[in-house]
Amino acid sequence: MKHGGDLTEAIAQYGGSPDMWLDLSTGINPWPWPIPSLPNEIWQRLPSTADGAALIVAAREAYRVPDEVEIVIAPGTQALIQWLPRLAASGAVAIAGPTYSEHARAWSHCGHGIMALDTARPFPDGARHSVIVNPNNPDGRTIDLDSLEQIAAIARDRGGWLVIDEAFADLDPRISAAALCRDRPVVILRSFGKFYGLAGLRLGFAIASPSIADAIQTALGPWPCSGPALAVGRAALSDETWAAHMRETLPDHARRLDEVLLARGFAMAGGTALFRLVRHADAAVIHESLAQQQIWCRSFEWSTDLLRFGLPRDDAALARLATALKPACE
């Protein structure tokens, strides 16, 4: 399974219908921001310049983006991940891993060499660009701003970019490196759908200096996102009360999930407040047993002892997982 959130593979192999499955394979908030009724005209006309500008104002405030830095609206960060290697100068890219596999896949597809980045040291000789997911998926590792600034300085000296994927940075706004975009060749990716629980909306942002942002905007072309996506994104990003509540309550739900997993012999290996990474010698057997009980979690091609669990949406779902883990772990 390369990605979470699509039960097609699980249903094809293990049967059942979507409503029978407990999908814990994603890091998407199971308590989404409540979408209000939208005016009919939003569905009937093309998005206006004013619609996009209003969303950017909300995003600038929510993501703490300096005035000198530009924001580009995109149909999800995946589209940006596909575009950046096409827009970047030729040269190898150093990627801090293991991490979200689409970064390496996209850069490799565009002819860039892929190198490993050890964030404890400057990225390797021969690399022009760097990609860091911060917080990292799947282990939740974070890199401090000073270290990111040093890596960005090296990228600048080599005529490259530092791409920082902040898909899960909404959980702690202090993590964001948006300020580095003022005088460094840094591109920040922000995913709307994960924290706000609305991945189907397909909305994301690139934060960068004016020159880099202009190149991305030109590549995406006019109307990259729908009018409803712009309206919902603007309203949700402006709802500071909801965001503050989520930042307070999500860690509590993560701790409850931890208790269930630890009780069944898992060892914590990392994660964020939206997903937990755990280690178990019998991870493959447990994954298979859970799937046979219509519970889908995230396994990894590059590891035989790690599993990632998203947050169960309610007490009944958490209890179902606890019950299913008993025979799975035995």
Side-chain angles (χ1 to χ4, degrees):
M1 181 177 61
K2 292 183 174 62
H3 308 291
D6 187 349
L7 290 174
T8 303
E9 174 186 338
I11 291 173
Q13 185 169 353
Y14 299 99
S17 57
D19 60 291
M20 297 171 60
W21 281 82
L22 173 58
D23 187 5
L24 303 177
S25 65
T26 78
I28 297 169
N29 187 349
W31 301 280
W33 184 79
I35 299 176
S37 297
L38 299 176
N40 287 335
E41 66 172 21
I42 288 182
W43 302 93
Q44 297 172 321
R45 63 170 174 81
L46 285 171
S48 68
T49 302
D51 295 332
L55 173 56
I56 287 175
V57 169
R60 187 175 297 280
E61 181 69 21
Y63 298 147
R64 305 179 182 183
V65 179
D67 292 339
E68 311 94 313
V69 177
E70 297 297 324
I71 302 175
V72 180
I73 302 168
T77 52
Q78 184 61 49
L80 295 167
I81 290 171
Q82 301 297 129
W83 264 113
L84 290 179
R86 291 169 167 80
L87 301 175
S90 61
V93 58
I95 300 178
T99 193
Y100 183 53
S101 61
E102 287 297 329
H103 287 289
R105 186 174 290 110
W107 286 83
S108 177
H109 181 74
C110 293
H112 298 269
I114 308 298
M115 306 177 73
L117 170 62
D118 180 353
T119 53
R121 301 189 304 272
F123 61 80
D125 294 339
R128 187 173 194 173
H129 308 282
S130 177
V131 174
I132 295 174
V133 180
N134 198 46
N136 190 46
N137 177 14
D139 60 11
R141 177 201 65 227
T142 59
I143 301 175
D144 64 89
L145 191 60
D146 288 342
S147 298
L148 291 172
E149 186 171 14
Q150 293 173 13
I151 295 171
I154 297 172
R156 179 191 59 191
D157 293 342
R158 297 181 183 180
W161 292 350
L162 168 58
V163 178
I164 306 175
D165 185 344
E166 295 184 349
F168 293 96
D170 295 82
L171 296 163
D172 184 357
R174 296 171 298 180
I175 291 172
S176 181
L180 294 182
C181 298
R182 283 182 293 206
D183 53 7
R184 296 284 191 275
V186 174
V187 183
I188 305 288
L189 305 182
R190 295 298 297 240
S191 172
F192 173 81
K194 294 178 176 63
F195 180 70
Y196 289 90
L198 299 172
L201 199 68
R202 306 313 304 139
L203 178 63
F205 304 90
I207 301 169
S209 66
S211 60
I212 298 177
D214 182 66
I216 298 171
Q217 184 69 74
T218 300
L220 292 175
W223 313 299
C225 293
S226 69
L230 300 183
V232 172
R234 174 192 179 188
L237 288 171
S238 300
D239 192 345
E240 297 178 0
T241 301
W242 183 92
H245 173 70
M246 279 296 146
R247 293 184 185 114
E248 181 180 347
T249 59
L250 285 173
D252 292 333
H253 291 289
R255 281 191 287 271
R256 294 185 64 200
L257 175 58
D258 289 348
E259 292 172 359
V260 168
L261 296 172
L262 292 172
R264 293 303 177 195
F266 288 95
M268 298 306 304
T272 71
L274 282 173
F275 60 82
R276 313 305 283 165
L277 184 70
V278 290
R279 190 181 305 277
H280 197 290
D282 296 323
V285 174
I286 294 170
H287 184 270
E288 174 75 13
S289 177
L290 291 176
Q292 291 174 355
Q293 299 177 74
Q294 276 77 55
I295 297 177
W296 200 230
C297 62
R298 183 78 164 85
S299 60
F300 303 95
E301 296 175 351
W302 45 267
S303 174
T304 60
D305 64 348
L306 291 175
L307 295 175
R308 197 193 72 181
F309 291 84
L311 301 182
R313 61 183 174 270
D314 52 32
D315 290 344
L318 184 63
R320 178 180 172 186
L321 173 63
T323 300
L325 281 172
K326 185 176 181 181
C329 294
E330 290 176 351

